[in-house]
């Protein structure tokens, strides 16, 4: 919880802020990229434990789901103790999880150590690190987030061959051992996340008429943003979004192979997707920080999600490598774009003080759809015999998410233009700042955002 | 009467000679295969200069190789052709080939009943055209050139797969110097699990002496195809070295950062109102406070 609400920049927007961005970048590498690299171990697990593909892929689902499900726990620890403590604890937990996995003698123990324990550790690191970036940046928030979130793409690029090399040198046990040491670097990132001493308006607290929220007691003031209609709309859109966004990553390669594309070309498609994802992260973040686009940040987010949905709907028509390359480029770019904007849009809607708790809830909403949508996609492939239904589901979910958000923004705008000075739950100054993203306010106020 | 007896005798003698001749030409295999070998025909028509044909053999067979060459524009009436095995000319295989409706035709029957008979057979038309027939037992799909790593005291499974066709049985060998030692199942040590198209050798209680090259053999009637599988057994010290070094780096960095922060905060505390100094560090200007009309500032550590 940080930053004053007013226009004056309580956040440095630079200086130590860039160190924080670097730390968040490293945290994203050590959590998201390492999660993606787990699938490299599956062949080894299948050989060693005599398991089949679905049994080993549970590990990936468990770690992804636990990371997202326990995100509110991460933000809770950040509010109670500090960002530093939460990230360092997360680093220790995930490192221990991987260490335990390297000595594992059964697949079930791997589910616990590599799935649940490591996932919990990652959850404690991911949300606090992202929230901390929001504390340090105001003007260049989207760019900072773009750079920080590009860690998952760059990390996958770098870690995948490195993990492969480790497995060749030391077999999967040794590779997991070395990986646990690499993940322990989360503690270093945590140590660098210097807490920022910020100002807070007493006015805001007087308005709410509540006691100063002690750091030790659970205060429902922290979760008041949940009642905001805007946040509810945002939450529904995230829920629907998460149901569709992971499917193309999982099913692009099998679809390309079924359409007659060679193995090397299909792998190249995934590489294109990954690299353009990174480009989308950084460039879209930089773009939406420009003065001309800042008031329309939510519109940019809706646009990128909608474009992704359209790309997915057209996929079943693309049945050769030269046609799938533009799809990979477009989809990768907009995927990077919306991922960088999630924390920005959330912070725009709920305001900076509630960012960490809100991010916890946002990532929590991603958990169950991430877990169940790939198997549902696979089930669709099995019963229809083609990938069309899966891509349609993905495209429809993404478009629905964009439509929900568009509707909520539209309703808000209509209400504000009709009843401009209607009293709203939070103080009017908060309200007008909060809806900069929805309305075309004069430049002076939007610059302050 | 004596003339007819002489005729009969000479005929019997001739028969005996020709039988012996037949015997030397097609020696019977060592196994008592009284049944004749099956026959197979492979025919190739060549239009250009050369062609290679791969023939997969599972069982001993009498193979007829037919080479047909369409020749050049100006086809000579005859050409000298011969057969080669593994690059060396087969004795007494050189003969003159007549042109027959613009084509040269060479045919020969080969008895492939032993491993040595497999190889590269070629029919050569003068110096101008060549057709290679590569006779081989089914080969493995791809070689795993990377060694399999395992740890002392652990168990490891070495697998070999043969997609098509299925071998009769599987055998495993360990390389010992230049010789190959057959591996048989031993309790607590070696375990062999075979199915139709793949085999798995489980080695338990590994020691460093187990490092080396293992060969899995797919046994066919004609030949056993071998494939090397390298095993490397390492102790736990190997991955422990990078692990410890990275952990040491993490601990050193964390300690350094936290100590540095502690020193920095100690420097700030004696500076009177330390919080004001902090404010000045963080804010570009503090004038707006008054304009907001708030009476006191509240600090919150994040």
């Amino acid at each position: 919880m940080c930053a004053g609400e007013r226009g004056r920049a309580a956040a440095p927007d630079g200086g130590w802020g860039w160190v924080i961005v670097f730390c968040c970048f490293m945290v994203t590498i050590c959590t998201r990229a390492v999660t993606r690299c787990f699938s490299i171990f599956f062949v080894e697990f299948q050989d060693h434990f005599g398991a089949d593909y679905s049994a080993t892929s549970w590990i990936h689902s468990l770690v992804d789901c636990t990371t997202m499900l326990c995100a509110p726990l991460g933000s809770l620890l950040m509010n109670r103790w500090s960002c530093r403590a939460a990230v360092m604890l997360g680093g220790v937990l995930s490192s221990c999880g991987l260490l335990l996995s390297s000595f594992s003698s059964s697949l079930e123990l791997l589910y616990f150590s590599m799935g649940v324990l490591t996932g919990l550790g990652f959850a404690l690191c991911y949300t606090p690190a992202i929230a901390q970036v929001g504390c340090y940046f105001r003007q260049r928030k989207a760019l900072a987030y773009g750079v920080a979130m590009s860690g998952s793409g760059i990390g996958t690029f770098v870690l995948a061959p490195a993990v492969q090399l480790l497995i060749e040198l030391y077999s999967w046990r040794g590779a997991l051992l070395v990986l646990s040491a690499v993940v322990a670097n989360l503690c270093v990132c945590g140590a660098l996340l210097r807490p920022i001493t910020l100002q807070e308006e007493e006015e805001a607290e007087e308005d709410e008429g509540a006691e100063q929220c002690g750091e030790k007691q659970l205060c429902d003031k922290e979760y008041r943003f949940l009642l905001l209609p805007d946040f509810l709309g945002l939450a529904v859109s995230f829920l629907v979004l998460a149901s569709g966004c992971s499917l193309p990553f999982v099913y692009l390669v099998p679809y390309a192979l079924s359409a007659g594309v060679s193995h090397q070309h299909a792998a190249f498609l995934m590489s294109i997707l990954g690299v353009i994802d990174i480009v989308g992260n950084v460039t879209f973040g930089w773009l939406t920080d420009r003065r001309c686009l800042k008031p329309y940040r939510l519109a940019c987010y809706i646009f990128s999600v909608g474009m992704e949905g359209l790309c997915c709907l057209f996929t079943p028509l693309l049945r050769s490598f030269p046609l799938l390359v533009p799809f990979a480029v477009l989809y990768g770019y907009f995927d990077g774009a919306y991922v960088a904007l999630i924390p920005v849009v959330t912070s725009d809607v709920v305001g900076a003080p509630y960012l960490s708790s809100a991010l916890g809830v946002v990532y929590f909403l991603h958990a169950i759809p991430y877990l169940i949508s790939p198997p549902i996609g696979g089930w669709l492939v099995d019963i229809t015999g083609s990938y069309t239904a899966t891509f349609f589901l993905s495209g429809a979910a993404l478009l629905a998410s964009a439509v929900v958000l568009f509707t909520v923004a539209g309703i808000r705008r209509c209400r504000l233009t009709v009843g401009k000075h209607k009293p709203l739950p939070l103080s009017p100054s908060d309200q007008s700042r909060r809806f900069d993203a929805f309305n075309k306010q004069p430049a002076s106020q939007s610059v302050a955002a | 009467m004596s003339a007819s007896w002489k005729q009969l005798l000479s005929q019997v003698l001739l028969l005996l000679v020709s039988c012996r001749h037949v015997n030397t030409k097609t020696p019977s295999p060592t196994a008592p295969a009284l049944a004749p070998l099956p026959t197979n025909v492979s025919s190739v028509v060549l239009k250009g200069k050369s062609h290679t044909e791969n023939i997969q053999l599972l069982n001993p067979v009498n193979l007829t190789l037919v080479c047909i060459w369409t020749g050049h524009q100006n086809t000579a009436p005859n050409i000298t052709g011969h057969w080669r095995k593994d690059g060396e000319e087969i004795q007494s295989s050189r003969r003159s080939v007549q042109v027959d409706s613009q084509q040269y035709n060479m045919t020969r029957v080969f008895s492939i009943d032993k491993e040595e008979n497999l190889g590269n057979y070629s029919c050569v038309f003068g110096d101008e055209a060549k057709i290679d027939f590569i006779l081989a037992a089914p080969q493995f799909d791809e070689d795993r050139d990377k060694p399999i790593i395992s740890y002392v005291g652990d168990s490891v499974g070495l697998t070999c797969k043969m997609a098509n066709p299925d071998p009769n049985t599987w055998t495993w060998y360990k390389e010992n110097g230049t010789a190959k030692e057959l591996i048989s199942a031993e309790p607590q040590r070696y375990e062999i699990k075979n199915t139709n198209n793949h085999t798995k050798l489980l080695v338990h209680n590994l020691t460093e002496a187990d490092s080396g090259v293992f060969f899995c053999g797919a046994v066919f009637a004609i030949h056993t195809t071998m494939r090397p599988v390298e095993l490397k057994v390492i102790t736990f010290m190997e991955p422990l070295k990078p692990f410890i070094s990275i952990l040491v780096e993490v601990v050193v960095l964390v300690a350094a950062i936290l100590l540095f922060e502690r020193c920095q905060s100690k420097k700030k505390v004696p500076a009177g109102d330390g919080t004001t100094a902090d404010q000045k560090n963080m804010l570009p200007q503090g004038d707006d406070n008054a304009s907001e009309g708030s009476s006191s500032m509240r600090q919150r550590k994040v």
Side-chain angles (χ1 to χ4, degrees):
Chain A
M1 313 259 269
C2 53
E5 301 251 331
R6 298 293 154 161
R8 84 194 107 81
D13 255 311
W16 193 254
W18 291 115
V19 176
I20 302 290
V21 168
F22 172 73
C23 288
C24 187
F25 177 81
M26 291 302 292
V27 166
T28 321
I29 291 184
C30 291
T31 53
R32 307 305 293 147
V34 165
T35 306
R36 287 193 195 166
C37 290
F38 278 179
S39 40
I40 302 176
F41 285 96
F42 291 166
V43 179
E44 308 295 320
F45 292 156
Q46 283 160 33
D47 275 341
H48 196 266
F49 295 110
D52 64 348
Y53 181 73
S54 60
T56 50
S57 66
W58 269 107
I59 297 174
H60 185 269
S61 311
L62 270 174
V63 79
D64 231 353
C65 185
T66 316
T67 307
M68 296 295 161
L69 219 55
C70 297
L73 187 65
S75 55
L76 194 73
L77 283 182
M78 178 178 174
N79 295 338
R80 289 286 157 270
W81 303 335
S82 74
C83 180
R84 192 176 251 169
V87 175
M88 287 178 78
L89 178 64
V92 167
L93 266 179
S94 45
S95 185
C96 288
L98 285 175
L99 189 64
L100 205 63
S101 315
S102 88
F103 293 104
S104 157
S105 56
S106 75
L107 206 58
E108 287 71 36
L109 186 61
L110 274 180
Y111 288 155
F112 170 70
S113 61
M114 204 164 161
V116 177
L117 200 58
T118 312
L120 182 63
F122 287 167
L124 292 183
C125 301
Y126 191 54
T127 315
I130 297 180
Q132 190 74 338
V133 172
C135 291
Y136 272 79
F137 282 89
R138 266 282 186 252
Q139 308 279 32
R140 292 192 273 185
K141 194 185 286 189
L143 176 64
Y145 273 124
V147 172
M149 303 304 247
S150 63
S152 69
I154 296 179
T156 314
F157 211 68
V158 168
L159 272 183
V163 166
Q164 188 65 43
L165 182 69
L166 281 176
I167 295 181
E168 277 167 29
L169 286 176
Y170 303 123
S171 118
W172 62 270
R173 287 191 195 273
L176 279 175
L177 192 67
V178 177
L179 207 59
S180 85
V182 168
V183 163
N185 281 295
L186 282 170
C187 295
V188 178
C189 299
L192 281 171
L193 289 170
R194 186 187 290 169
I196 183 167
T197 319
L198 296 161
Q199 295 185 335
E200 198 168 272
E201 291 292 334
E202 205 182 56
E203 213 182 277
E205 297 187 0
E206 279 170 10
D207 278 351
E208 282 144 28
E211 278 286 308
Q212 164 63 48
C213 196
E215 289 192 3
K216 302 275 185 316
Q217 63 200 85
L218 185 66
C219 199
D220 65 347
K221 181 167 85 81
E222 283 176 10
Y223 287 96
R224 271 175 96 130
F225 64 87
L226 283 175
L227 297 174
L228 267 181
D230 300 322
F231 185 78
L232 285 175
L234 195 66
V236 169
S237 86
F238 280 139
L239 202 62
V240 179
L241 173 82
S243 315
C245 65
S246 60
L247 287 173
F249 280 98
V250 176
Y251 290 105
L252 180 63
V253 169
Y255 168 72
L257 291 174
S258 80
V261 176
S262 75
H263 279 270
Q264 286 103 312
H265 282 164
F268 190 54
L269 277 177
M270 285 306 284
S271 308
I272 295 176
L273 206 61
V275 171
I276 304 289
D277 203 297
I278 300 168
V279 171
N281 276 141
V282 181
T283 55
F284 218 72
W286 178 84
L287 268 175
T288 47
D289 267 335
R290 299 300 101 210
R291 272 186 203 180
C292 44
L293 280 178
K294 206 175 270 189
Y296 306 108
R297 261 205 295 239
L298 189 66
C300 292
Y301 172 80
I302 295 173
F303 174 71
S304 56
V305 172
M307 281 300 294
E308 260 197 287
L310 277 177
C311 288
C312 285
L313 286 180
F314 280 115
T315 315
L317 299 172
L318 311 169
R319 302 201 58 86
S320 69
F321 178 69
L323 288 177
L324 280 172
V325 168
F327 164 77
V329 169
L330 279 175
Y331 188 86
Y333 186 79
F334 288 114
D335 187 78
Y338 97 78
V339 163
L341 282 184
I342 287 180
V344 180
V345 160
T346 312
S347 132
D348 282 345
V349 168
V350 304
Y354 304 106
L355 179 62
S356 71
S357 318
L359 275 180
V361 173
V362 160
Y363 289 122
F364 173 80
L365 289 171
H366 277 79
I368 302 291
Y370 266 4
L371 184 69
I372 61 174
S373 65
I376 290 182
W379 172 73
L380 279 173
V381 170
D382 286 338
I383 57 170
T384 62
S386 84
Y387 292 87
T388 313
T390 311
F391 280 98
F392 271 3
L393 171 68
S394 169
L398 289 165
L399 281 174
S401 162
V403 162
V404 163
L405 214 49
F406 184 75
T407 319
V408 169
I411 293 176
R412 267 293 155 199
R413 243 184 93 191
C414 287
R415 275 223 202 144
L416 277 173
T417 43
V418 166
K420 216 161 191 159
H421 300 294
K422 211 171 166 182
L424 291 155
L426 295 157
S427 62
S429 52
D430 298 334
Q431 207 58 47
S432 58
R433 277 212 66 244
R434 197 150 296 135
F435 301 124
D436 274 349
F438 291 79
N439 306 323
K440 291 176 194 158
Q441 291 288 327
S444 56
Q445 210 161 355
S446 58
V447 164
Chain B
M1 200 136 169
S2 62
S4 64
W5 271 112
K6 270 188 197 157
Q7 223 177 19
L8 189 63
L9 196 62
S10 61
Q11 274 179 7
V12 167
L13 275 172
L14 202 63
L15 197 63
L16 281 170
V17 166
S18 66
C19 276
R20 236 184 47 204
H21 185 63
V22 163
N23 273 341
T24 51
K25 231 195 149 134
T26 55
S28 50
T30 46
L34 296 172
L37 291 175
T39 51
N40 208 343
V41 179
S42 178
S43 152
V44 171
V45 177
L46 176 68
K47 291 203 168 60
K49 285 223 72 151
S50 72
H51 177 76
T52 308
E53 181 88 357
N54 284 310
I55 301 178
Q56 205 180 67
L57 296 174
L58 280 79
N59 301 308
V61 72
N62 271 338
L63 189 64
T64 309
L65 297 177
V66 178
C67 297
I68 302 170
W69 184 42
T70 48
H72 289 317
Q73 289 285 64
N74 42 342
T75 44
N78 58 19
I79 193 170
T80 316
H82 65 275
W83 289 89
R84 285 195 196 153
K85 180 179 186 300
D86 294 328
E88 283 184 17
E89 193 174 320
I90 298 175
Q91 298 292 337
S92 64
S93 66
R94 196 172 274 267
R95 56 194 49 149
S96 179
V97 183
Q98 306 295 325
V99 70
D100 174 22
S101 57
Q102 298 277 325
Q103 284 178 345
Y104 296 101
N105 188 324
M106 275 172 75
T107 305
R108 195 175 167 102
V109 182
F110 295 95
S111 167
I112 317 291
D113 58 349
K114 289 201 291 272
E115 251 180 77
E116 293 86 43
N117 293 342
L118 294 170
N120 184 350
Y121 289 85
S122 338
C123 58
V124 185
F125 291 94
D127 282 325
E128 298 170 43
K130 189 167 81 139
I131 302 177
D132 290 313
F133 295 88
I134 302 182
L135 275 57
Q139 299 295 314
F140 286 98
D141 288 329
E142 86 282 314
D143 249 349
R144 184 180 172 153
D145 49 1
K146 307 237 163 65
I148 297 181
I149 315 270
S150 194
Y151 291 91
V152 173
D154 204 358
S155 311
V156 74
L158 307 171
T159 48
C160 276
K161 284 191 186 92
M162 168 80 77
N164 54 300
D166 295 341
N168 300 347
T169 181
W170 294 91
T171 49
W172 281 93
Y173 299 90
K174 172 125 203 274
E175 193 173 58
N176 194 355
T178 47
K180 295 189 178 72
E181 257 177 48
L182 181 70
I183 297 177
S184 49
E186 267 171 68
Q188 296 305 317
R189 193 83 179 97
Y190 294 115
E191 208 183 308
I192 301 183
K193 288 186 182 158
N194 287 340
T195 63
N196 271 350
N197 63 351
H198 86 282
T199 180
K200 191 163 179 168
L201 172 70
L202 287 160
V203 189
H204 301 291
N205 288 333
L206 283 167
T207 61
E208 282 195 321
D210 286 321
S211 298
V213 186
F214 286 75
F215 288 90
C216 64
V219 178
F220 295 98
I222 188 136
H223 173 60
T224 302
T225 319
M226 300 273 210
R227 179 165 163 255
V229 180
E230 198 189 334
L231 176 70
K232 242 173 89 168
V233 181
I234 56 178
T235 59
F236 223 76
M237 288 299 134
E238 301 260 343
L240 213 58
K241 290 180 219 153
F243 173 73
I244 299 275
S245 51
I246 300 178
L247 266 192
V248 164
E249 166 251 323
V250 165
V251 169
V252 162
L253 279 177
V254 170
I257 292 166
L258 291 178
L259 274 172
F260 180 70
E261 294 255 320
R262 175 116 5 126
C263 291
Q264 284 252 309
S265 62
K266 275 195 186 138
K267 274 189 211 154
K268 278 187 188 150
V269 163
D273 189 8
T275 50
T276 324
D278 262 343
Q279 280 176 26
K280 288 205 179 117
N281 276 344
M282 298 301 166
L283 305 176
Q285 68 270 64
D287 305 335
D288 298 2
N289 302 351
S291 62
E292 297 302 322
S294 56
S295 50
S296 66
M297 292 301 142
R298 209 180 281 272
Q299 259 78 34
R300 231 164 114 177
K301 247 192 163 211
V302 182

